[in-house]
Amino acid sequence: MKVTREKTEECQAYLTIEMEDAEMDEAMKEAYRHLSGEVKIPGFRKGKAPRQVIERYLGKESVMEEMLNHLVPEAYQKAVREQDLHPISQPEIEVVQTEPAVTFKAVVPLRPEVTLGDYQEIEAVPETVNVTEEQIDSVIEQLRHQHATWEPVDRGVEFGDLVVMDVESTVEGEAFVNQHGAQYLVSRDGAAPLKGFPEELPGMKKGEEKQFTLVVSDDYRKEEWRGKPASFKVKVNEIKAEKLPEVNDEFAKQVNPEFNDVETLRKRVGESMQEGAEARVKQEFENNAVAAAVERAKIEYPPVLVEAEINQIIEDQARRLQMDQKALEQYLQNANKTPEQLREEVRPAAVNRVNSSLVLSKVAEEEKIEVSDADMEAEIARLVENTQGEDKARLKEVFGREASRDSIRQVLLTRKTVERLADIARKNHESKGSKKEAKK
């Protein structure tokens, strides 16, 4: 066969592979032998039917397809070896000619190429976090709402009320929203079931009915209803107002039995907020350090890496939302999105993840960062520390498998590398700060 490397760009080799007559003959013979042994042809035992009979019975296209299924993969592997290529995933293959000889093109994804810049000079500014009393007050207020009760009131509806009502509505004669005894929180920024609906309720009293019309939004999931009027008939059955608990020692115990008084509640809230804020700041600082290293690096990789990362992001999102393929399709339909639009939405995140991963791998190599067996055992112990008995033993068994250990080792290696970059960025910032102070 003749192999021509047309070009190499974006870490992809573009090959054209032309088969010779002898190779074609041998591949065709193999196809006939395989089909003869697999297909039952009336009047012949398996493996005994002549080529002409097989071709007449199955059709020339079927024989050609069988031949290509064997010929192309084998020819591709030979071409890759001949060109001394090291693919990282499956190629894109296009058969461009079958007669007089098979010719096909292959786009071969190759290993990424990463050239680190002067990552030792990266700098990032660590943010200092101090939780204020006002922030603690805000969380306490949220806790009051979480532990509030709803009590019936004898007045007109106000924003913030919980209304029990009957709703009947249609769009062009078709049923829209029809519910009896629906509970509805009258929120100023509410937009369900349509924008403007909450504004129609304030002032209505128990037992009162009201009819009104709203316009279906231009982005509504049912396309034929967009921009059409929706007729509503609403009857208020009950009005409930939120009753917030007083902030006292009893409230503190209600939030958590371990909190004996308000002072303890505020202290624990403050500590929790401080820990959360410090974790967020640390994460942001590390992200900035990695981003600075990525910005200084020269990175080339085949597009297939981004496509694979997009697949992973979508799968992760679906898993978090507990959606199977059918549920994901329904979600896209409700959101008025196509699968292609969803992929384009997550593409920037996928590109960022691929760039970061490749740079981190190169930094780990450059810095000779390793994960020891002691690191592995400590991490596994951390992962199982909150489980007991059989569950703990089962988890240990799972984490002891080779695939699991490889995954844990990669996580730890990434974590160590990120910490190394963060340490470099922090020291460079502190060093510049010290020099500025010395000049004063």
Side-chain angles (χ1 to χ4, degrees):
M1 66 182 183
K2 178 183 177 184
V3 182
T4 305
R5 190 189 298 201
E6 306 292 347
K7 60 180 178 177
T8 301
E9 62 182 23
E10 292 187 310
C11 290
Q12 296 182 118
Y14 291 76
L15 306 180
T16 298
I17 302 163
E18 302 174 59
M19 307 308 300
E20 295 180 354
D21 292 342
E23 294 168 319
M24 289 281 297
D25 290 341
E26 185 56 38
M28 190 62 77
K29 289 177 184 177
E30 180 60 31
Y32 279 115
R33 278 196 296 268
H34 184 262
L35 290 172
S36 177
E38 290 293 323
V39 179
K40 185 174 173 126
I41 298 178
F44 296 91
R45 286 181 297 165
K46 279 190 176 182
K48 299 299 181 180
R51 291 178 55 163
Q52 298 88 340
V53 173
I54 294 173
E55 184 172 316
R56 192 165 56 248
Y57 185 77
L58 296 176
K60 187 175 180 180
E61 294 77 11
S62 297
V63 176
M64 181 62 71
E65 182 179 354
E66 179 67 24
M67 184 269 287
L68 292 174
N69 287 341
H70 289 83
L71 175 67
V72 171
E74 291 179 5
Y76 167 73
Q77 292 298 335
K78 289 180 182 178
V80 165
R81 289 194 296 269
E82 180 183 309
Q83 294 291 314
D84 194 25
L85 299 175
H86 303 280
I88 61 169
S89 64
Q90 294 299 315
E92 292 181 20
I93 289 180
E94 178 190 4
V95 177
V96 295
Q97 179 180 299
T98 57
E99 291 180 334
V102 170
T103 301
F104 66 93
K105 294 182 178 294
V107 181
V108 187
L110 305 176
R111 292 172 183 170
E113 297 177 3
V114 180
T115 304
L116 295 175
D118 52 347
Y119 69 94
Q120 291 286 356
E121 301 299 319
I122 65 172
E123 179 187 359
V125 181
E127 184 181 344
T128 302
V129 177
N130 289 304
V131 174
T132 66
E133 292 299 313
E134 288 76 12
Q135 290 172 318
I136 294 175
D137 289 339
S138 177
V139 173
I140 297 292
E141 190 64 18
Q142 293 175 23
L143 290 170
R144 290 183 72 200
H145 284 286
Q146 291 175 14
H147 291 82
T149 57
W150 293 91
E151 298 183 356
V153 292
D154 186 18
R155 57 166 173 74
V157 174
E158 297 178 0
F159 283 110
D161 287 346
L162 183 67
V163 176
V164 181
M165 60 184 178
D166 300 334
V167 183
E168 295 178 11
S169 61
T170 59
V171 177
E172 295 193 322
E174 291 186 57
F176 182 40
V177 178
N178 292 285
Q179 290 183 299
H180 179 76
Q183 295 193 62
Y184 185 82
L185 182 62
V186 187
S187 173
R188 287 185 182 276
D189 56 357
L194 289 179
K195 186 177 180 180
F197 185 88
E199 287 79 3
E200 296 289 342
L201 303 180
M204 293 184 67
K205 295 184 178 181
K206 182 176 179 179
E208 186 177 343
E209 295 185 358
K210 183 177 182 180
Q211 296 186 30
F212 53 90
T213 300
L214 299 173
V215 177
V216 179
S217 60
D218 291 336
D219 60 352
Y220 190 72
R221 58 185 175 83
K222 197 166 183 177
E223 191 173 349
E224 59 267 30
W225 282 0
R226 295 175 187 174
K228 301 295 176 62
S231 301
F232 286 87
K233 180 180 179 182
V234 174
K235 179 183 178 183
V236 173
N237 298 325
E238 192 172 13
I239 304 169
K240 296 180 180 181
E242 185 181 31
K243 184 178 181 181
L244 297 173
E246 294 183 20
V247 181
N248 51 30
D249 294 347
E250 189 60 36
F251 170 67
K253 293 176 183 177
Q254 188 180 2
V255 172
N256 190 319
E258 296 181 0
F259 300 165
N260 294 321
D261 49 39
V262 174
E263 183 180 353
T264 303
L265 170 63
R266 293 186 65 85
K267 180 183 177 182
R268 296 291 184 86
V269 166
E271 291 173 347
S272 178
M273 292 181 68
Q274 185 70 28
E275 289 175 5
E278 288 176 355
R280 287 191 297 273
V281 166
K282 180 176 181 289
Q283 181 70 57
E284 184 177 353
F285 178 76
E286 290 177 345
N287 289 345
N288 290 339
V290 174
V294 170
E295 187 176 352
R296 292 165 182 254
K298 181 181 178 182
I299 314 166
E300 292 185 8
Y301 51 82
V304 67
L305 290 187
V306 171
E307 299 306 317
E309 195 63 43
I310 289 173
N311 292 340
Q312 188 61 55
I313 291 174
I314 293 174
E315 287 175 12
D316 290 344
Q317 289 179 348
R319 194 178 299 112
R320 281 195 300 271
L321 297 173
Q322 298 182 330
M323 293 191 298
D324 55 18
Q325 184 60 37
K326 186 175 181 181
L328 179 60
E329 291 172 0
Q330 186 62 50
Y331 161 77
L332 290 174
Q333 183 178 345
N334 292 341
N336 194 34
K337 294 179 184 176
T338 64
E340 291 73 23
Q341 287 174 324
L342 177 61
R343 293 184 69 83
E344 289 308 307
E345 282 183 11
V346 303
R347 185 175 295 277
V351 169
N352 182 61
R353 279 166 58 160
V354 170
N355 286 336
S356 298
S357 176
L358 293 174
V359 168
L360 287 171
S361 294
K362 194 66 175 179
V363 171
E365 179 185 326
E366 189 75 15
E367 295 284 313
K368 296 180 172 55
I369 299 172
E370 296 180 347
V371 176
S372 67
D373 290 339
D375 293 332
M376 291 287 294
E377 297 310 317
E379 179 66 8
I380 291 173
R382 186 189 70 81
L383 292 170
V384 303
E385 65 181 350
N386 292 325
T387 56
Q388 301 294 329
E390 292 182 3
D391 289 340
K392 190 167 189 174
R394 193 179 300 112
L395 271 180
K396 280 188 173 181
E397 180 185 350
V398 170
F399 292 142
R401 296 170 186 165
E402 185 178 353
S404 297
R405 290 183 69 85
D406 288 345
S407 178
I408 293 171
R409 190 178 298 278
Q410 185 58 51
V411 169
L412 290 177
L413 182 62
T414 299
R415 188 185 302 166
K416 280 189 168 189
T417 309
V418 169
E419 289 171 355
R420 178 71 58 85
L421 286 175
D423 189 48
I424 291 171
R426 185 182 298 104
K427 286 179 179 177
N428 286 337
H429 174 71
E430 292 171 353
S431 175
K432 287 188 177 181
S434 298
K435 290 178 181 178
K436 287 180 181 179
E437 288 295 323
K439 289 181 180 179
K440 290 183 180 179

